[in-house]
Amino acid sequence: MESEFNGLLTLLTFFPLVGVVILLFWRGAHDRQMKWTAIITSAITLILSVVVLLQYRPGVPGLQLVDHMAWIPSWGISYWLGVDGISILMVLLTTIISLLAIVSSWSAIETQVRQYYIFMLLLQVGMMGVFLAQDMFLFYIFWEFTLVPMYFLIGIWGGGRRVYAAIKFFLYTMAGSLLMLLAILYMGIQADTFALPDLIAARGAWAGGMVEALLFISFFVAFAIKVPIFPFHSWLPDAHTEAPTAGSVILAGILLKMGTYGLIRFNLPLFPQASADYAPYIAVLAIIGIIYGAVVAFAQKDVKKLVAYSSISHLGFVVLGIFSLTTEGIQGGILQGFNHGISSGALFFIVGVLYEQRHTREIKEYGGVWKVMPVFSVLTLIIVLSSMGLPGLNGFVGEFTILLGSMGAQSFAPAWIFTAFAVTGVILAAVYLLWMFQRVFLGPVTVEANNALQDINRRDLFVMAVFLLFVFWVGIAPSGFFNLMDTSVSALVSDVVQTAGFAVLGQ
């Protein structure tokens, strides 16, 4: 492919570095000035992502707004960024959640403020690069780079067991990534290129048999740890519980989606036959995760751990949708990834608001919060209902589409049994979320300290309003979101199912 350089995606990816440089060299800056620097930098990055959205043409297949040039030509490595229907929602989610996380940190972070916001902005660069990179070497650099800022965010500004949680997070993700690195090296040597579109075209070199299976498993394990899929999930509750509020919001909102995105972007097109062969087993793991996450969430006494386990359950739906290998399932999986980023990010933010005032996350320490924080409680109820999948809110649209795809799946059979087990996760989600809401917000004020709680302030109200905007927007008018990805997903599904040898649902 000839060199092509639009420049917009490069600007979008690396613009947060402007804020990093300002924070590094503005030595006399006060905490307030550093916070505003980070907020403005992240806000401009969000505006750039909206510009990308406005220039993106939904009906055009393939990569758009491409930045492509040779980087290390002797090794077949190029600098290649591009956006399509699989990544456009993740790009928007990254800029939205990053800005909200930085705003929500205003009063929560009081020590080493400069370093904190530098790490937040660096993390945004890494996450954006993961969703836009179209060269495997470049992708791997961004993928590993995200570990470093998150490691320090948990390890420095986290809770009492923060060092343990940070090291566990780092080691788990790094271990899985090394398998993926070996697979990338093998494919790059075989095809004499690391460019993803070229590797997809050259996949016949490893198609079929044990080689494709091993390559598929190498990528799958790396992404399964990130999602996380049962049984690779044990790092998540610790990381979530010990991370600062903004760290949990970004972890749930964006970092976990890097795993589901990777499954769609790399596993399906690079290893279509293995994807079809292993789909039933992965679907079983996804359903175990859906039920296990929900049951364990119900048993939690710490409200933040409850939300952490709910993520394992909800992301099981996303993985089930992806490996249904249907247009509906994969579109539902992408949209539900976006929805989970909004709803789960909001739940972690809600826990953070309460923790900032009471300095405890124990459910028994609350009760009757509605009486002293009525506005905050109403907004929380809407988020809880959206996470449950109430019709009219965002969670329902994603889950319904995933179940629709799962019901028509030919990659696992009988599909209705898989779908029936998955539906139990919806019921269980209602149980543990309503139980949590009842214990924390309803009833009499049982702990005297809760009478001193202050209702939501204007800054937190802004953050909640943005979350709620997307909760209702996706819930009421989802067609615009589906239109963004329809062409790309249809092309992917057609390619995968033709290679794997079964018919396409909904085509």
Side-chain angles (χ1 to χ4, degrees), residues 337-409:
F338 182 88
N339 291 337
H340 178 266
I342 297 298
S343 298
S344 192
L347 285 172
F348 280 112
F349 172 71
I350 286 161
V351 175
V353 171
L354 289 172
Y355 181 78
E356 214 172 304
Q357 294 195 50
R358 284 282 280 107
H359 298 289
T360 180
R361 294 186 299 263
E362 292 291 316
I363 293 174
K364 67 182 181 186
E365 290 293 321
Y366 292 97
V369 171
W370 191 300
K371 288 183 168 63
V372 285
M373 303 176 74
V375 176
F376 176 72
S377 301
V378 169
L379 301 179
T380 300
L381 177 60
I382 298 170
I383 296 295
V384 166
L385 293 174
S386 86
S387 194
M388 276 168 42
L390 186 78
L393 303 178
N394 63 342
F396 174 76
V397 178
E399 286 180 358
F400 176 81
T401 317
I402 286 168
L403 294 172
L404 185 66
S406 169
M407 198 69 176

Side-chain angles (χ1 to χ4, degrees), residues 62-346:
L63 298 170
Q64 300 182 37
L65 305 173
V66 170
D67 290 343
H68 180 236
M69 65 173 89
W71 184 13
I72 312 175
S74 58
W75 294 356
I77 294 170
S78 57
Y79 173 82
W80 194 340
L81 301 179
V83 67
D84 64 3
I86 293 168
S87 57
I88 186 70
L89 280 181
M90 295 300 103
V91 168
L92 294 169
L93 182 68
T94 300
T95 54
I96 293 162
I97 296 291
S98 295
L99 176 59
L100 295 181
I102 288 171
V103 171
S104 71
S105 305
W106 186 278
S107 57
I109 303 300
E110 296 172 346
T111 59
Q112 303 186 67
V113 174
R114 184 192 310 274
Q115 293 90 324
Y116 176 83
Y117 287 105
I118 285 173
F119 284 128
M120 288 289 280
L121 293 172
L122 287 174
L123 185 57
Q124 192 170 351
V125 172
M127 294 184 300
M128 190 61 73
V130 165
F131 294 127
L132 294 176
Q134 301 300 323
D135 182 276
M136 296 303 299
F137 185 82
L138 183 64
F139 166 79
Y140 190 78
I141 289 172
F142 282 125
W143 177 269
E144 293 292 78
F145 179 75
T146 58
L147 295 183
V148 179
M150 197 67 207
Y151 170 79
F152 285 111
L153 286 170
I154 297 172
I156 297 174
W157 294 276
R161 298 171 71 240
R162 58 185 179 271
V163 175
Y164 166 78
I167 292 172
K168 192 174 182 181
F169 160 75
F170 194 94
L171 291 179
Y172 257 75
T173 315
M174 175 70 87
S177 301
L178 291 176
L179 285 174
M180 180 168 67
L181 177 61
L182 289 173
I184 290 170
L185 290 171
Y186 176 87
M187 292 190 302
I189 292 167
Q190 287 288 312
D192 202 28
T193 179
F194 287 91
L196 178 62
D198 297 340
L199 288 173
I200 292 170
R203 68 191 179 196
W206 53 80
M210 184 60 71
V211 175
E212 182 178 1
L214 289 173
L215 291 172
F216 174 88
I217 290 167
S218 298
F219 274 82
F220 174 76
V221 169
F223 298 138
I225 290 170
K226 200 72 163 186
V227 172
I229 299 170
F230 179 91
F232 304 103
H233 64 280
S234 68
W235 65 269
L236 182 70
D238 290 313
H240 265 317
T241 307
E242 300 306 324
T245 297
S248 291
V249 171
I250 283 185
L251 191 58
I254 311 167
L255 283 177
L256 306 187
K257 308 311 168 309
M258 286 164 43
T260 55
Y261 167 81
L263 293 171
I264 301 169
R265 172 67 77 200
F266 302 107
N267 280 71
L268 299 191
L270 285 169
F271 322 111
Q273 188 60 56
S275 297
D277 292 344
Y278 285 98
Y281 308 106
I282 295 169
V284 169
L285 290 180
I287 290 167
I288 292 171
I290 290 170
I291 298 170
Y292 168 84
V295 171
V296 177
F298 184 74
Q300 297 307 309
K301 298 176 181 177
D302 180 320
V303 67
K304 203 172 185 185
K305 267 198 172 173
L306 183 146
V307 179
Y309 278 106
S310 79
S311 287
I312 297 169
S313 182
H314 283 119
L315 287 163
F317 278 103
V318 177
V319 174
L320 180 67
I322 293 168
F323 283 93
S324 70
L325 303 183
T326 59
T327 306
E328 293 85 349
I330 294 174
Q331 285 195 0
I334 295 171
L335 185 64
Q336 190 63 3
F338 182 88
N339 291 337
H340 178 266
I342 297 298
S343 298
S344 192

